Amino acid sequence: MNMAEEMLSAEQLSAILIILPFAAAVICYLIRVSAIRSIVVLIAGTVLITSAVLLIPLTPFSLSPQPFFGVSIHVIVQALDFFLLLIILYFGFRHRHIAIKALALLQIIFLLYFEFFLIQDKPDTSALYCDHLTLVMVLIVSIVGSLICFQAIAYMKNHEEHLRLNRSRQPQFFFVMLLFLSAMNGLVLSNDMLIFYFFFELTTLCSFLLIAHDGTKEAVKNALRALWMNSLGGAAFILALVGIYRETGILELQRMIIYGNIDAGVYLLSMALLCFAAFTKSAQFPFQSWLLGAMVAPTPVSALLHSSTMVKVGVYLVLRLAPAMNGTFLSHCVAVFGAYAFLSAAALAVGQSNGKKVLAYSTISNLGLIFACAGLNSPQAIIAGILLIFFHAVIKALLFLCVGSIEQHIASRDIEDMRGLYATMALTALITVMGVIMMIMPPFGVLLSKWMAIEAAARNLYVVIMIALGSALTVMYWARWAGTLMSDPFAGRFKLERQPLLTWGALGALCLVAGLSSIAAPWLYVWFAVPALNAGYAAPFIVKRGVLENTTGAFAVFPLSMVAILGFVIAILAVKKAAGARIVAPYLSGIQTHAPGVFIGPKNLLVKAEAKNYYLASIFGEQRLTTWINLGAGVLLTLVVGGAL
Amino acid sequence: MTGTAVSIVIGLIGGPLLGGLVSGLDRILTARLQSRIGPPMWQPFYDVVKLWGKEKVVVNVWQAFCAYCYVAATAIALVLFFLKSDLLLILFTQAVGAVFLVVGALSSTSPFSQVGAHRELLQILSYEPLLVFVAVGIYLETGSFKIAGLDTWDEPLLMKLPFLFVVLGYALTIKLRKSPFDLSTSHHAHQELVKGLLTDYSGPFLALTEIGHWYETILLLGFCSLFWANNWIAMMILIVATYFMEVLIDNVSARMNWRWMLGYVWAMGLTLSLVNLIWLYVG
Amino acid sequence: MFKKLIQKARVKSPWLLHYDCSSCNGCDIEVLACLTPVYDIERFGIINVGNPMHADLLLVTGTVNYRNRKVLLNLHDQMPDPKLVVAIGSCALSGGIFREAYNVIGGVDKVIPVDVYVPGCPAKPEAIIDGVTLGLNVFTRSKEGRKTHAR
């Protein structure tokens, strides 16, 4: 293992991380034998995970890849970029979608202008750069992404059996999934903005193809919506690049950040446009409808693209740019916009009974919180954002995979149909409840980040009030779901349900990663988060015996984790003892029968006592709130972009 | 190290003992306000011991898990308070207990339990932001979320944070399950939803929820005490006066519904907090 | 020693469930009168709970007939041990003046075991309180001394 470390340089590892998934994707597409495909996916995933871990001691580094057969990387990417935009334009024509056609054409024109008229000489830029923030993203993409692909092997087999497909569409599916992993790794590793832009558009295309995978009318419609909204972001992106290059002549992300001129003008406006692109990518209001619509895709797609990785591109970009915006009105606006998204998405999630939509709104909500952290721009806020990216990605992926398994078993996504799931799917229900607990409770990572964010935001009254209100709303919809899953009468016995081994493996691994990393959060802070801060920022906390502490606050992660484990053990022992207690029917104000929830009513007829969850649609319903929320978001977005002028 | 150990012991053991006494005094005071005599002061302890000795009857074994987690979380929150830790951390730890109580109630299929649990969720929704605002107010005034420095702070916090004290009062009324906010369950004969949230907890597990409630009561009275932390006598007067007001309000109000509670508590809480926070921020 | 403590607690904190089989409500009014400030049974730690799972004492008024017999049995079964049954008023004792009616089974003890009988028509609140507090001594007896279920 040591020899392998010495043998593999940063350049080789980067090549593996970016090119290997693409090679595996091509193999999956060409060889149409499912057993070989599964093995290819398993091997590719394992190699990805290993490479990502091997990258840890090599960080930070920056490098420029050698010319490929004499052609420089920039030229290759340039050609591929145009090819990609032409593909998007083709889809625009095929589906007769005006917005896509217009936006694709716009991007082609801007890119042509940029490449051939604006760029005078290609300076020797370092194309790839990896610091600890990139490393965190690479680890998420490689580890979480691979685990999701593993589970997808079992899931898609079941999915296609359900749909009774004659010809399997799994080759296309895994081709795009692995291509996407390639694109994500490339995106987070790139330093050259044009390479970043290429991978940015590639993820848009992958998202479109995967949402439309099932081929139904609804799927295609939602895929087109995702495509045009993301293309809007892409157009803003290339426009911003033009602006930045005209103003400063810089094409490298790292050099852009330390450029330092934060006065209003073209440069700041370009920063605002980059933030706009990030908002569309991360499905913030008013662009959230594409993410909600994307839930029609098979669940591994939702888990991979629409919660853990692709939507994280937006927050990654803004977190990277945060030092460049420090102290500006733009930064302040981004913070308020993020907090507004956090609150609004949480309110909308309260009114939802569709499980995947609840997860989608929760994702938008947490992404809004990360944007708020980036906008607040203090060391504490940035660290909170980085930790939240990591913990949210892992736990949300876990929850999506659980919902996927549940959906395949009970043929429904509605939380009401998951009532008492413990009776039929005991372990999956328990893992889902575990995931919910890790989302909302201390001492786990998501709450640690939220705590840090509130303390960082405490001086900014707009932001802290919205975060406090949103935080209370999140408790409501998560606790409601967890309780519904366990609502099983006469529950005493634990019956392990049958699931494919890959599913158990993926769920178990994600659960373990989430739990262990939560306990180890102080050390993750020291090894990954603090080094990710730019040179100008000082570490906000000191770590003493597993406690994160500074003059204003303290979070005893490790001691509380130990006490929590102790409490958990005691509570489980209590459950074992209670299993020997007399188990009775609940109080129904009537004579109970042996059937759960059924009592003898008037005329000796059996009456089923039913209760449904409070979804409060009259207050928090999607139809009721969405228009107003979008209006508010529109106003704030205008402030963000216009305020940069 | 010994200081830490002493704080932990005071929190774990002293907390419920004190909480039970407060609960007993509460019942006597309520009775006197209603022209009755009321039970002896040790009544809550008799109740808990009796419940502990009852036959174990459960609707769902997860209720046992949730009852223990509720007590554990509120006990840990109180210990953190005595260790003078971070106020936000204490809030979030205490919220763990509240959520477990709700999940335990939801795990029973009885509609009484279910509706009680949802009302409890709405109660949590009402008071949790308010407690965060109080914590932010204390931070803006003292510069820290940690409560370690408060007993040597020159000026009592009540002077600078009077509106936030009222906001804390709203949260206290909801948490103590006093009218008009005793929707999900209450200490009096409940009669609207049988016992609401706690309908299907019985015997030892009901005893545990009662003990958890004692921890919570002492924790919240502890938050009140932060508002005059530098003088013992003034602190006691403040706590006694606040608690008397709570019992008085309980006896003169009728139970309201959740819509009114959410609207009123958020409207008043946000307005009062905003005014006080802006005053602190500008000053 | 802990057993003694629990026994004392049981005597000091009896929570009651009141069930009216099918009375004229006279005895019920007297039972509810006990809760008022005039008699104030909370002095004895007694709380009127609505849920049999929380109750130690079952106060029964009214005559038992073929319909409410099942309900009475159900409530008694839901109550966890240890428990006590107090029959209040002559209808609960033996059927009272309705004893000969075609639907009346008789007193409560035809269905569940009764520990204390409180006569009267209606029973006075003082008599009810007296009966309940006398009955609490049952809790101080050992397990063998207490009656078991009869079906």
Side-chain angles (χ1 to χ4, degrees), chain A residues 247-517:
Chain A
E247 189 78 3
T248 65
I250 296 178
L251 255 188
E252 281 177 66
L253 191 51
Q254 288 303 311
R255 282 179 60 200
M256 258 169 59
I257 296 170
I258 54 179
Y259 177 70
N261 180 1
I262 55 171
D263 296 327
V266 178
Y267 183 73
L268 205 57
L269 181 60
S270 305
M271 287 283 145
L273 281 174
L274 284 175
C275 290
F276 180 87
F279 291 152
T280 57
K281 198 63 156 183
S282 294
Q284 296 296 289
F285 300 97
F287 308 112
Q288 83 281 16
S289 51
W290 78 256
L291 188 61
L292 271 309
M295 293 295 125
V296 298
T299 310
V301 174
S302 308
L304 182 56
L305 270 76
H306 304 133
S307 66
S308 314
T309 43
M310 190 180 97
V311 291
K312 296 279 192 296
V313 168
V315 288
Y316 165 76
L317 181 60
V318 175
L319 263 180
R320 269 253 178 269
L321 293 173
M325 306 186 296
N326 198 355
T328 60
F329 182 64
L330 171 64
S331 190
H332 191 82
C333 286
V334 168
V336 174
F337 182 79
Y340 176 78
F342 178 67
L343 174 58
S344 314
L348 284 166
V350 171
Q352 279 296 328
S353 72
N354 180 327
K356 276 182 99 172
K357 277 194 165 180
V358 170
L359 291 177
Y361 277 124
S362 166
T363 304
I364 299 174
S365 187
N366 279 296
L367 290 171
L369 186 57
I370 305 176
F371 278 123
C373 288
L376 287 169
N377 238 318
S378 67
Q380 191 166 337
I382 304 273
I383 300 262
I386 297 175
L387 288 176
L388 192 53
I389 287 185
F390 176 72
F391 285 111
H392 177 255
V394 178
I395 299 175
K396 198 45 79 61
L398 173 67
L399 283 169
F400 262 111
L401 291 184
C402 289
V403 170
S405 304
I406 293 173
E407 188 189 350
Q408 284 197 321
H409 204 94
I410 63 173
S412 164
R413 298 177 174 174
D414 199 302
I415 297 179
E416 290 298 321
D417 294 323
M418 295 184 203
R419 196 171 273 281
L421 195 67
Y422 184 74
T424 46
M425 297 177 78
L427 189 53
T428 315
L430 279 178
I431 295 180
T432 316
V433 172
M434 210 42 231
V436 168
I437 289 177
M438 288 197 277
M439 277 298 267
I440 52 172
M441 292 191 183
F444 296 102
V446 176
L447 191 89
L448 171 65
S449 321
K450 210 181 287 186
W451 166 84
M452 227 187 264
I454 295 182
E455 297 216 341
R459 289 215 162 259
N460 188 329
L461 289 182
Y462 298 120
V463 176
V464 82
I465 288 179
M466 288 198 274
I467 296 183
L469 291 173
S471 178
L473 286 165
T474 62
V475 170
M476 173 141 191
Y477 63 81
W478 284 122
R480 179 178 69 191
W481 195 349
T484 313
L485 286 170
M486 303 306 288
S487 183
D488 171 37
F490 307 125
R493 62 278 172 289
F494 175 83
K495 214 173 63 177
L496 189 65
E497 76 270 26
R498 291 199 58 213
Q499 288 263 35
L501 194 64
L502 277 169
T503 310
W504 284 139
L507 291 178
L510 280 171
C511 221
L512 211 62
V513 168
L516 287 176
S517 51

Side-chain angles (χ1 to χ4, degrees), chain A residues 419 442 451 455 458-459 465 486-488 549-554 563 574-575 582-584 587 613-614 616, chain B residues 55-58 60 62 65 68 76 86 96 106-107 110 114-115 118 139 143-146 194 200 258 274 281:
Chain A
R419 196 171 273 281
W451 166 84
E455 297 216 341
R459 289 215 162 259
I465 288 179
M486 303 306 288
S487 183
D488 171 37
E549 194 163 358
N550 68 8
T551 49
T552 56
V563 174
V575 170
R582 181 154 72 104
I583 298 188
V584 293
Y587 180 68
N613 288 340
Y614 278 24
L616 308 181
Chain B
E55 182 192 358
K56 268 208 189 88
V57 173
V58 283
N60 183 321
W62 292 106
F65 183 82
Y68 273 94
I76 294 173
D86 185 306
V96 171
L106 280 173
S107 68
S110 155
Q114 298 267 332
V115 177
H118 280 283
Y139 164 77
S144 168
F145 278 98
K146 291 194 277 199
V194 189
D200 288 316
W258 67 260
L274 208 57
Y281 189 73

Side-chain angles (χ1 to χ4, degrees), chain A residues 40 71 93 203 228 288 367 605:
Chain A
V40 167
V71 186
F93 274 103
T203 59
W228 82 254
Q288 83 281 16
L367 290 171
L605 292 170

Side-chain angles (χ1 to χ4, degrees), chain B residues 27 31 34-40 43 45-59 187-191 194-195 198-203 206, chain C residues 2 5-15 35-38 40 42-57 78-83:
Chain B
R27 283 173 73 170
Q34 293 171 356
S35 312
R36 298 185 288 118
I37 297 182
Q43 190 61 40
F45 295 109
Y46 292 136
D47 286 339
V48 165
V49 173
K50 175 212 76 174
L51 283 172
W52 196 266
K54 283 207 77 122
E55 182 192 358
K56 268 208 189 88
V57 173
V58 283
V59 168
H187 276 269
H188 314 302
H190 192 89
Q191 281 159 19
V194 189
K195 191 88 170 151
L198 299 175
T199 307
D200 288 316
Y201 286 96
S202 67
L206 192 59
Chain C
F2 198 54
L5 190 62
I6 295 186
Q7 276 178 353
K8 183 174 182 208
R10 284 185 187 144
V11 172
K12 286 279 198 172
S13 157
W15 287 0
L35 294 170
T36 60
V38 181
D40 189 22
E42 207 190 352
R43 288 176 289 151
F44 304 104
I46 300 177
I47 297 180
N48 187 0
V49 293
N51 186 351
M53 286 203 273
H54 296 169
D56 309 294
L57 237 54
Q78 285 192 60
M79 286 170 62
D81 281 328
K83 53 197 171 188

